[in-house]
Amino acid sequence: MTEKLQAIKQLGRQEAEMIVSEGLTERKPGSLVHLLFGNTPSPQSTSIKFGKVGETLAKKMVDLAEDPQLLGCGCRDIGGGVTKDFDLLYTGSDTIFYRELKGNLELDTEKLPAMITKINKDILPYLTREYPGKTIDIGVLYWSVYERSDLGSHCATHIRKCEEKGIKVDHMSDFMETINFEWEKDDFYSYFLSLGQLFNSQ
């Protein structure tokens, strides 16, 4: 295992342990799941919290890579008093890469169009103005999936809707190829399963 990959794995474990130490949100009375299983951890809440870990790891991977350079992520004023959250922004040679990070692309009917609008109507024009002469490469990093072939058909519609609007959907293998970072597929999945055991132990 390379030192870079070791650093990413340590960071991911630290982030997961922090989420667990802060306490997992439990399901509340008022649902059939609570009625059947009681005060069990809410998978939705855990997914939301862990989604931020994906952003942290992706930024660190870019930071550790040799060629690309991490640019200012987080909230930016894009003009007119409008602020937008930039999940992952980095540059390589003459290209500016923007990726909206998603651990789950099964968004509801309102969230998917809102994400597409944010990327095409807000992020893309801002980056075009901010980095004149650069190629702007926009997309979604569906980071919980190593490569497209690992997916069934359940996300195909959402991916197609993004790509029809000019927004590419990358997976971890695509992202790692862009930044020249190596992480084998089997090890990637087994690592995150090991983090999942931290949550299951609660």
Side-chain angles (χ1 to χ4, degrees):
M1 185 187 313
T2 66
E3 287 183 16
K4 293 177 183 178
L5 181 54
Q6 181 66 32
I8 291 299
K9 287 185 171 185
Q10 287 175 348
L11 178 60
R13 179 163 281 278
Q14 289 168 0
E15 294 287 318
E17 289 173 347
M18 187 183 309
I19 292 171
V20 171
S21 70
E22 291 171 354
L24 301 179
T25 303
E26 294 186 339
R27 292 187 174 101
K28 302 286 191 269
S31 70
L32 291 176
V33 175
H34 183 273
L35 181 66
L36 293 171
F37 304 107
N39 294 327
T40 55
S42 164
Q44 182 179 9
S45 174
T46 302
S47 292
I48 291 169
K49 291 177 181 178
F50 200 75
K52 294 294 183 184
V53 176
E55 290 184 29
T56 300
L57 295 182
K59 290 174 194 173
K60 187 66 174 178
M61 289 167 77
V62 172
D63 204 34
L64 291 173
E66 293 177 10
D67 293 329
Q69 178 184 354
L70 189 64
L71 300 173
C73 303
C75 290
R76 282 186 173 206
D77 184 340
I78 64 169
V82 177
T83 301
K84 292 294 175 182
D85 187 22
F86 286 68
D87 289 352
L88 181 63
L89 187 64
Y90 64 100
T91 182
S93 65
D94 292 327
T95 304
I96 302 294
F97 294 91
Y98 172 74
R99 292 295 181 268
E100 187 87 6
L101 269 74
K102 297 293 177 188
N104 179 3
L105 201 56
E106 296 178 65
L107 303 172
D108 62 36
T109 53
E110 293 179 1
K111 288 183 178 178
L112 183 64
M115 182 192 74
I116 291 171
T117 298
K118 171 190 171 182
I119 294 173
N120 277 336
K121 303 293 186 188
D122 297 320
I123 304 291
L124 180 57
Y126 169 79
L127 292 176
T128 302
R129 292 192 310 269
E130 190 75 4
Y131 301 98
K134 298 280 190 178
T135 300
I136 308 299
D137 186 314
I138 57 170
V140 174
L141 174 53
Y142 193 176
W143 68 268
S144 64
V145 177
Y146 191 85
E147 58 192 2
R148 181 75 54 92
S149 61
D150 297 339
L151 280 171
S153 60
H154 62 288
C155 288
T157 300
H158 288 73
I159 291 173
R160 186 171 63 252
K161 284 180 180 177
C162 290
E163 293 177 339
E164 285 173 353
K165 297 294 184 178
I167 299 169
K168 64 175 62 173
V169 178
D170 286 341
H171 306 286
M172 281 301 285
S173 59
D174 305 309
F175 169 60
M176 289 189 290
E177 184 176 342
T178 302
I179 65 170
N180 196 26
F181 194 98
E182 294 185 14
W183 194 348
E184 294 297 324
K185 179 177 176 176
D186 289 344
D187 186 58
F188 174 83
Y189 283 124
S190 64
Y191 168 72
F192 283 102
L193 284 173
S194 75
L195 296 187
Q197 293 174 359
L198 294 174
F199 296 104
N200 286 335
S201 67
Q202 296 302 300

